[in-house]
Amino acid sequence: MKTWEDSEWIFKINAAFTLLFFVLILSFILTLLIIRLYKNRRNRLKKIYEASAEEFINSYLFEEDIDRGVLVEKYEIENLKTNLQKKVFLKSLVGINENFKGESSIALKKLFHQLNLDAFLLKNLQKGDWDKQSRAIYLLAELSIKKNNLVATFLNAKRMEVREQAIYYYLKVSTGKPLEFFSRLTTDLTPWELIYVEDSLKYYYEGSMPDFSKWLDHKLISIVIFSIKMIAQFDQFENIPKVIPFVDHPDEKVRKQAIKTLCKLSCHDILGKLIDKFPKESTVIKKEIISAIMQLGIRVDLLAIKTHVSENDWSTKLAFERVEQHFNKLTA
Amino acid sequence: MKDRILIVEDNSMVVKSLHFKLTKDGYETVVASDGREALKVLKEQTFHLLITDLMLPFVSGIELIEFVKNNIPDLPIIVLSTSTQEEVIMDAFNLGVEDFITKPFSPNELSLRVRRTLQKK
């Protein structure tokens, strides 16, 4: 029988690799096991903390014959020692607050300050990772805690998640001025962020709608386009004269949105100007003008641009013919 | 004897708060976390008031209300729902519910409405 020293080199390498992989697999399984055990313990603790938090919050809100100051002090010392305890408590606080209004909701906000949880959130905001920061902003928003200046610094954060929470904060907390944060933005909002703001204004915001013309001279193009769009969305007819100059804006996207908005607001006066501009415009804008003619004009308006539709520009030609068919059907 | 209230709600936080508040107010409360469980409890026990959500698993709040109005017509019902749609509220009142409270709600206001509903009875 061969000893290790007598073995072939290839056999030695093979054996070494087998051993290495065996150790690696073992460590991998062990790591998984440790993570699982850690998670199980953490989940068990979370349940205990959750039950304790809910019991305490309900006692704080509804017990009548207790000294609330003593109750809070005792709870803070005994039950809010670790970050996990604070995190779970805040989750319960927000969960209960979501369902309550009136005195109870005010009392919950008071409790938040009494337990010095604002300091915990501010620490997370200033030193935490992006996930802690976005959670902290979310909690401040849910509890309507006024920290506008601090949250403003996250409106231009690198992480999209943090930026979204900062936007949410402003939409939720700023009473009467939901888009106050626009003036603090230094980077363009992404399409998703703009959709989010639009949806929040349409479905969740309860105050009076702001005058969107305030942001027509914003330095960020995305905000200008959004404002022009919202003028149409919320039927701000009084802003038509302020939108008209934007059909001459150097940015094609701005011009396109301005035409869309003016069409939606049935601004017939713009048609002459659009027809005059047609020969010098890009394909995208030409198509938009053709669409505007369909909505606001008559067949004669369409014929006025016919000679400027190039034979080689197939998409414009197609748009033209569609509108021509539309007018043909109307006259038939 | 204490008045018995059945709370049908799938949000555990709301359930715990309601249970706590109403127990403090001197009522005996029983909790069901879905419509099916509520039907089972209603068939087995007697209550003086039903507080129910509309969006419930298995059996909806509307079905639960219909069951109560057909089988236990004397049992008053308070609906506690997130819905603010006029249509939903009208549907609930047309089925004969005594009161409709929208979430978020004030626990003190709920407490008053519970007392008033039980007094009317």
Side-chain angles (χ1 to χ4, degrees), chain A residues 37-201:
Chain A
L37 286 172
Y38 170 76
K39 283 218 85 168
N40 283 352
R41 185 177 170 272
R42 201 174 151 89
N43 287 343
R44 226 176 15 250
L45 281 175
K46 270 187 186 174
K47 276 191 181 159
I48 296 168
Y49 296 158
E50 228 171 65
S52 145
E54 285 168 12
E55 178 75 23
F56 165 73
I57 294 169
N58 284 325
S59 298
Y60 178 85
L61 288 177
F62 307 126
E63 288 272 13
E64 280 166 10
D65 311 320
I66 50 156
D67 184 338
R68 285 191 168 68
V70 175
L71 184 78
V72 170
E73 203 176 315
K74 194 170 168 238
Y75 189 82
E76 191 186 355
I77 295 167
E78 290 174 6
N79 297 291
L80 291 180
K81 288 181 234 166
T82 65
N83 282 349
L84 182 65
Q85 283 175 316
K86 288 177 186 169
K87 200 175 134 186
V88 172
F89 184 86
L90 277 165
K91 198 179 161 199
S92 301
L93 189 76
V94 167
I96 293 176
N97 185 56
E98 264 174 19
N99 291 292
F100 287 170
K101 65 176 183 185
E103 278 177 31
S104 304
S105 179
I106 296 167
L108 289 177
K109 277 158 203 150
K110 193 176 159 195
L111 177 64
F112 170 81
H113 290 293
Q114 280 180 316
L115 288 169
N116 296 314
L117 290 166
D118 41 354
F120 171 69
L121 285 191
L122 294 185
K123 198 175 128 197
N124 277 346
L125 265 182
Q126 282 155 352
K127 290 186 180 171
D129 299 327
W130 68 267
D131 57 320
K132 284 183 182 161
Q133 286 176 338
S134 55
R135 197 182 301 121
I137 300 170
Y138 168 76
L139 291 168
L140 288 174
E142 284 300 307
L143 293 166
S144 303
I145 309 291
K146 291 267 182 189
K147 294 279 175 202
N148 292 24
N149 286 334
L150 182 64
V151 176
T153 56
F154 295 96
L155 283 166
N156 302 300
K158 276 184 192 165
R159 291 292 301 208
M160 191 180 77
E161 293 85 347
V162 180
R163 283 203 310 270
E164 279 176 0
Q165 289 306 328
I167 292 170
Y168 174 69
Y169 172 88
Y170 270 91
L171 290 168
K172 184 101 199 292
V173 174
S174 303
T175 43
K177 290 179 181 172
L179 302 178
E180 190 194 349
F181 67 93
F182 274 5
S183 58
R184 297 174 188 254
L185 290 174
T186 55
T187 49
D188 271 308
L189 292 177
T190 64
W192 283 114
E193 286 166 347
L194 290 168
I195 289 169
Y196 180 66
V197 176
E198 187 181 338
D199 269 10
S200 301
L201 288 172

Side-chain angles (χ1 to χ4, degrees), chain B residues 57-76:
Chain B
F58 309 123
V59 175
S60 77
I62 292 290
E63 286 171 289
L64 186 66
I65 294 165
E66 279 171 344
F67 171 83
V68 171
K69 289 298 163 190
N70 291 331
N71 298 284
I72 325 165
D74 292 340
L75 179 64

Side-chain angles (χ1 to χ4, degrees), chain A residues 50-51 54-55 58-64 91-104, chain B residues 9 11-18 20-22 24-25 80 82 101-109:
Chain A
E50 228 171 65
E54 285 168 12
E55 178 75 23
N58 284 325
S59 298
Y60 178 85
L61 288 177
F62 307 126
E63 288 272 13
E64 280 166 10
K91 198 179 161 199
S92 301
L93 189 76
V94 167
I96 293 176
N97 185 56
E98 264 174 19
N99 291 292
F100 287 170
K101 65 176 183 185
E103 278 177 31
S104 304
Chain B
E9 168 68 62
N11 181 331
S12 67
M13 284 186 189
V14 175
V15 165
K16 281 179 197 164
S17 296
L18 281 178
F20 199 98
K21 173 72 179 156
L22 295 171
K24 284 281 152 205
D25 289 348
L80 186 61
T82 45
I101 300 171
T102 50
K103 289 184 209 164
F105 65 99
S106 155
N108 291 334
E109 187 189 329

Side-chain angles (χ1 to χ4, degrees), chain A residues 226-264:
Chain A
F226 178 80
S227 303
I228 296 174
K229 190 179 172 196
M230 290 303 104
I231 285 172
Q233 181 71 49
F234 295 102
D235 296 332
Q236 295 185 343
F237 290 94
E238 67 280 11
N239 286 327
I240 288 178
K242 291 178 186 167
V243 175
I244 289 175
F246 285 89
V247 296
D248 294 321
H249 196 276
D251 192 295
E252 184 187 78
K253 287 178 194 156
V254 177
R255 292 203 301 277
K256 186 180 172 187
Q257 188 54 59
I259 297 170
K260 273 182 188 286
T261 291
L262 291 167
C263 273
K264 168 104 193 306

Side-chain angles (χ1 to χ4, degrees), chain B residues 29-44:
Chain B
T29 59
V30 174
V31 170
S33 57
D34 60 64
R36 204 157 56 190
E37 195 186 336
L39 286 178
K40 191 171 169 254
V41 175
L42 280 167
K43 283 172 190 165
E44 290 167 357

